[in-house]
Amino acid sequence: MKLDSKIPEGPLAEKWDKHRFKLKLVNPANKRKYNIIVVGTGLAGASAAASLAELGYHVKNFCIQDSPRRAHSIAAQGGINAAKNYPNDGDSIWRLFYDTIKGGDYRSREANVYRLAQVSNNIIDQGVAQGIPFAREYGGLLDNRSFGGAQVSRTFYARGQTGQQLLLGAYSSLMRQVAKKQVQLITRTEMLDLILVDGKAVGITTRNLITGEIATHMADAVVIATGGYGNVYYLSTNAKNSNATAAWRCYKRGAAFANPCFTQIHPTCIPFSGDYQSKLTLMSESLRNDGRVWVPKKRGDDRAPNDIPEDERDYYLESRYPSFGNLVPRDVASRNAKDVVDDGRGVGPSKVAVYLDFADSINRLGENVIREKYGNLFDMYERIIDENPYKTPMMIYPAVHYTMGGLWVDYNLMSNIPGLFVLGEANFSDHGANRLGASALMQGLADGYFVIPYTIGDYLATNKATKVPSSHHAIEESVALVHDKMDKLLYIKGEKTSTEFHRELGKIMWEYVGMARDEAGLNKALEEIPKLRDEFWQNVRVSSDKNLMNKDLEFTGRIADFLELGELMARDALERNESCGGHFRLESQTDEGEAKRKDDEYAFVSAWEYKGEGKKPALHKEKLVFDNVELTQRSYK
Amino acid sequence: MPALPTSLWSSVARKALMALTGLALIGFLAVHLLGNLILLTGNADAFNLYSNIYASMGSFLYVIEAGLVAFFLIHIVSGVTVALGKMKARPVSYEKTANAGGPSRKTISSTTMIYTGIIVLAFLVFHVTTLKYGAHYETTIHGEKMRDLHKLIIENFAQPGIVVTYVLTMLLLGFHLRHGFWSAFQSLGALQPRLSGLIYTIGVLIAIILAVGFLFIPLWIFLTA
Amino acid sequence: MADMTLTLKIWRQKDRKSPGKFVTYTVENVSEHMSFLEMMDVLNEQLIKKGEDVVEFDNDCREGICGMCSLVINGRPHGQEHGTATCQLHMRKFKDGDIIVVEPWRAAAFPVLKDLAVDRTAFDRIMAAGGYTSINVGGAQDANAIPIAKRASDEAMDAASCIGCGACVAACPNASASLFVAAKISQLALLPQGQIERRRRAANMVAQMDKEGFGDCSNHAECEAVCPKEISITHIARMKREYFKAMALGE
Ligand SMILES: Cc1cc2nc3c(=O)[nH]c(=O)nc-3n(C[C@H](O)[C@H](O)[C@H](O)COP(=O)(O)OP(=O)(O)OC[C@H]3O[C@@H](n4cnc5c(N)ncnc54)[C@H](O)[C@@H]3O)c2cc1C
Ligand code: HEM
Ligand code: SF4
Ligand code: FES
């Protein structure tokens, strides 16, 4: 497998400009002759489908839900970064670039991240023009807040519903193109396979989730924007329908999977409450702007939080990291929460939580200001936990939230399979080993609005469309594969539900491939996951009808894929014997217990190649070159 | 440039027509009630003189009447359309329904508009046939011959059946207006959240005044006869 | 609190065309901390093990923002809690021994797909009729070029927070979609970016709404009462004003 990152030559700041000039263009009149498949309608998918359609391409856009507007991007709360420097606090494209590279613990490409910072400003402009009601000051100009991992205020937000507003903006542009018949929207449809002809991506095989009908769709290029795979852990902040299936099918068709072990555990989520629990709810990181994190100094302190006097509280983030305090990056905040809980100082009924306290801010700013900023989050907390966070400190605990890993792509966002592009959380490109808050929305939209419209043209211009007959063996083989898998699942009629398997997988993943990993644990995971997978294929029971709406069948198919992906994640984590960002190997720590990178050995992207059923995948390394930033030990002290 | 696809019969405009005609009818009722109050003085001549003002308008009366009928027709046709449309829009009804409470304005009044409306309509037919086209008595006041409507009314309101009919229908009219008045402002887009509560209260007052006013007259005549 | 045992009367319907009926189920060991949908998950796990078809119900984010969940619970869309979507409704709001009737959204414009899942694509078609500003990527001016009064922007945000769940339609005695449609028209009418097309948008979106077969608005305001985002009918009033302007002034 050849991994050519296609990073353009030249000084960092000029790379994207020059590259755009070099990219081949498709003549406007010819654009309508090209068909493009976009799978996913999240920020990445919807923005890509809309922009490509605006250019004149014919787009088919797929999603699992009933409407594009429901993609999981809708749930992002906190905000979106841009280097506008409106607050005049010293922000710049360079600083956003630097913060993102550093936040990612130097495991991403300089050129990609720089481009991301460059186009970040255009995203905000685009959003405002779409009518997104971003928060404003009384003077009528846009307001900013600060987020973890940055010392400037560069985060734009729309109450606690930024992802919703950005997605509705992209969705509205998309629906405009649907009205113009430039986009054919195909909802409640799941991509179950990628079709390759002559090594190029030329189509997908799908299942209609209402009728169960299996169909194939052909195009000149396929764009995957299917989101992240955090649901491998069963419990995560992802939506129930978030899954890895589309990406995993591409992997099995030859696309490299990069950095699968890089997962982000978000520090501020509502703690776990019982086995029936189906998901974890995120409390936006922006809360850390005004909330102070603490636990009792004493182990096993059972007093109510408000009865614990000031001097018996340990504001551990503030004391350990004086300069960033409660705003340290996510991985650091999460690991520290785990440390204090492991130390026996956790709070709440389960003792697996820490406090996030707003008393000081409420005293300083007044309850109304806090309500204005976070009202909906506080309400949500109260609905779930049944406690009033204006009065009692919130309880929070880390939860799986985001996957930095994903399908490998080059600078053009094309995978190693020609014609297969990957955008948004589904690719691995910009966040290295840890994503900074408010950067995923930025990346998804950058990919869709401002990168793919240029780069896909270059591919199309140089790859003349070939008409593939519908009887082509690649199509027949793909359809048969999809049918086989489903029939097999239905045939087993075992004793356990797929959710039970999923829960067990989640426990293995959280235990051994979670916030802290070591060789023994990872080896254990590599033993247990295949065992669980074997049992799954012998003992799962699926609700029966494949020609009707059948969510159980859908989910079971996705869990089957998670059972394979989980193993790859453990393998990747084992292979990378260093700590970096969200990947913390107990074997590799500094004296102060912080993540210790080993740049000499591991400054690379791991890209895994599928080698066939039951065979070990092959590891390829894309070396990361840093010409512009100095690799330092991250310090937020 | 192509015209916008707006229509007087769109869901929004239709409700505006209802609201305008409804408010106009309320205006008519108010005037009607004021005139009727003369009956409470017991002065037959005064009342007959008052009603003769209309009778002597000649063809202008036809214009007014035609306008009134047109308003009713528009109101009725659009009301029936709403009611039928509702059945079409929800062909299968719920097993269990409950009011959501809170800011909801759903009441027995709001959900029975079509029924209270139809009953009022039926009543109107009865009202007009028994009075306007009822027995034609004559009287002479200040040397002028005119219709003695007062006599007919007193006759009518001596019958308990008729009085009960009036009283009940006027109560229903009150229900119609309790939701109707406020609703008309909302249909016309004239409501701000600030005003909403106030207008609703005014609507309730108007409903009470009109209903009680109209039902009090026959009752009073019956009881004092 | 001890765990609860509940009786569920659930609408079952095989597909769009088949007739449906209510089926009664018992769910035991329901914890008060469960969400309503987690309770439904427990039921479905039981059904799978018994070899029966699972009860189909739409859901995704389970945090009240995607608008995918629905369910009319004891006669109220999204259940009895104000400002709360079904996925955020917790079982602590119910008592041991309760009988709970669970029905799909009922409207001609939202046909049932299976059991409790309905087809809400009518909303997408209404959005396609004009719920956007017609600008292409690339041409936008600087985000701060036009200041917007905080009040206008906040009010636009109130409207924009609609999650497109359709509870307003489900709750409306007429199955009217006015609140959903008004929320979008109002949001864009409040912002300078929406001015250029405001009349055309109001006319087209209302026309599409009517075409989809939703009922008229009788101002019951049930929609506002069940809306998980508590969107006010004042936006419906604004939609009407927008529409009248479109009628009077044309393009
Ligand atoms: C709770 C939460 C809060 C967050 N808050 C923030 C924040 O404040 N700031 C920030 O920057 N980031 C935030 N993030 C991260 C960010 O929201 C996501 O990374 C980003 O939105 C992903 O967008 P996407 O377009 O890549 O994928 P998604 O939005 O997940 O969309 C995936 C799309 O793919 C479709 N799909 C998936 N599989 C298939 C298939 N097999 N066939 C067909 N279609 C398929 C789905 O239907 C969907 O349309 C948050 C994430 C979560 C979970
Ligand atoms: C004097 C008589 C009447 C008066 C003063 C009156 C007044 C009103 C008013 C003010 C409204 C509110 C309009 C709106 O919601 O925009 C209304 C609604 C209504 N009226 Fe009347 N009305 C009268 C007679 C009738 C009659 C005869 C009918 C016969 C069918 C009728 C049927 C309705 C219906 C169905 C509504 C409700 C419309 C809806 O639900 O949207 N009304 N009326
Ligand atoms: S207006 Fe409220 S109830 Fe209606 S679709 Fe939007 S969020 Fe749901
Ligand atoms: S499941 Fe997303 S709003 Fe309820």
Side-chain angles (χ1 to χ4, degrees), chain C residues 123 161-169 179-180 183 223 226-229 231:
Chain C
F123 274 7
S161 62
C162 164
I163 59 175
C165 61
C168 41
V169 175
L179 192 61
F180 167 80
C223 50
V226 300
C227 172
K229 295 292 154 192
I231 293 172

Side-chain angles (χ1 to χ4, degrees), chain B residues 181-210:
Chain B
F181 185 76
W182 171 86
S183 178
F185 283 84
Q186 173 71 7
S187 294
L188 292 169
L191 280 190
Q192 306 283 334
R194 224 162 9 96
L195 294 179
S196 181
L198 181 69
I199 301 273
Y200 198 83
T201 314
I202 295 178
V204 173
L205 287 177
I206 289 183
I208 293 175
I209 292 171
L210 288 179

Side-chain angles (χ1 to χ4, degrees), chain B residues 11 89-90 95 104 110 183 189, chain C residues 103 106 108 172 210 219 222 241:
Chain B
S11 61
R90 173 160 303 129
E95 167 85 1
S104 175
S110 76
S183 178
Chain C
E103 299 173 74
R106 295 227 184 263
C172 177
D210 291 353
N219 305 324
E222 277 283 289
R241 296 198 292 277

Side-chain angles (χ1 to χ4, degrees), chain A residues 210-261:
Chain A
I210 302 173
T211 61
E213 183 204 356
I214 307 290
T216 56
H217 302 267
M218 308 306 283
D220 299 294
V222 176
V223 179
I224 300 285
T226 49
Y229 51 89
N231 274 349
V232 174
Y233 291 83
Y234 183 62
L235 284 181
S236 81
T237 64
N238 285 7
K240 294 312 287 175
N241 283 306
S242 298
N243 71 94
T245 289
W248 195 247
R249 298 285 117 197
C250 294
Y251 166 73
K252 290 184 106 172
R253 289 281 176 197
F257 207 114
N259 298 337
C261 80

